[in-house]
Amino acid sequence: MQFSDLIGCPITDQIECPCMGMDHSMLTVHRSASIFLSGMIGQIVRVVDEIKRCKITTTKEDFDRWEKSLNSFELLGMKVGFLRDKVHTLATLVFESEVAVDIKQYLEARNQRKRAENEIKKAAAKLKELKGEAIKFAGIAGSLRHKVEKYEHKGGG
């Protein structure tokens, strides 16, 4: 069950375009307009798919991005106000509910874990580098030890 199912989301059936009532033969005349329109509809469908897949852990940045996209489409004449309402409702559920504190703590803990794992990777890479240097210097010291021992025997005996 998707999180968006909680508020009932048959959203793809509700998208309205101001040109739906036009004579569609005009769109073939204005090829660039039809390409623009199909691209815009494709973007709306992409946003709808993202909204459908949203979870209780969806970030505020995602909700803001969806809101900005839908606002842009609305300014271009697309009737997507109902989608903006869905996004607002979902955001309210996520960020103003009782579980919002738990979600925030979970996301913070998850981010801290990722940072710690990255630091472990960096430390492991540094350790590998230092082990390589230690081996290199052990080899140099080993080859020079014989020379030093010769000098010590010559000087001492």
Side-chain angles (χ1 to χ4, degrees):
M1 175 180 225
Q2 293 291 327
F3 182 62
S4 58
D5 292 338
L6 293 174
I7 60 168
C9 250
I11 48 187
T12 51
D13 299 334
Q14 298 177 26
I15 298 174
E16 295 180 29
C17 174
C19 67
M20 291 301 180
M22 322 175 36
D23 177 11
H24 289 297
S25 64
M26 288 180 61
L27 290 178
T28 58
V29 174
H30 301 288
R31 180 162 173 75
S32 61
S34 66
I35 291 171
F36 176 74
L37 182 60
S38 64
M40 196 163 57
I41 291 171
Q43 288 300 311
I44 291 172
V45 170
R46 180 189 55 78
V47 170
V48 167
D49 287 342
E50 290 177 8
I51 293 169
K52 282 182 173 181
R53 286 192 309 265
C54 83
K55 298 178 182 174
I56 196 100
T57 55
T58 299
T59 64
K60 183 167 180 2
E61 291 78 19
D62 287 333
F63 285 105
D64 290 345
R65 184 173 37 83
W66 298 337
E67 176 63 29
K68 286 178 186 177
S69 294
L70 293 172
N71 187 46
S72 298
F73 296 134
E74 200 164 59
L75 291 173
L76 291 169
M78 301 298 284
K79 295 179 182 178
V80 292
F82 70 97
L83 287 173
R84 292 178 69 199
D85 292 342
K86 299 281 186 192
V87 169
H88 178 72
T89 302
L90 289 169
T92 300
L93 286 172
V94 170
F95 299 112
E96 296 176 15
S97 67
E98 294 176 8
V99 298
V101 173
D102 291 337
I103 293 168
K104 185 177 179 181
Q105 289 175 342
Y106 165 75
L107 292 173
E108 183 61 29
R110 187 177 68 180
N111 290 339
Q112 291 292 345
R113 187 194 81 224
K114 286 180 183 177
R115 278 188 224 119
E117 288 172 351
N118 286 338
E119 289 298 319
I120 289 170
K121 287 178 184 177
K122 288 178 188 176
K126 184 65 176 175
L127 179 62
K128 184 177 180 180
E129 177 187 335
L130 290 172
K131 283 182 177 180
E133 287 181 21
I135 291 169
K136 178 180 93 174
F137 290 124
I140 293 171
S143 66
L144 292 174
R145 183 177 51 136
H146 297 296
K147 289 182 181 180
V148 170
E149 287 174 353
K150 284 182 187 178
Y151 293 132
E152 285 178 345
H153 290 302
K154 285 183 182 180

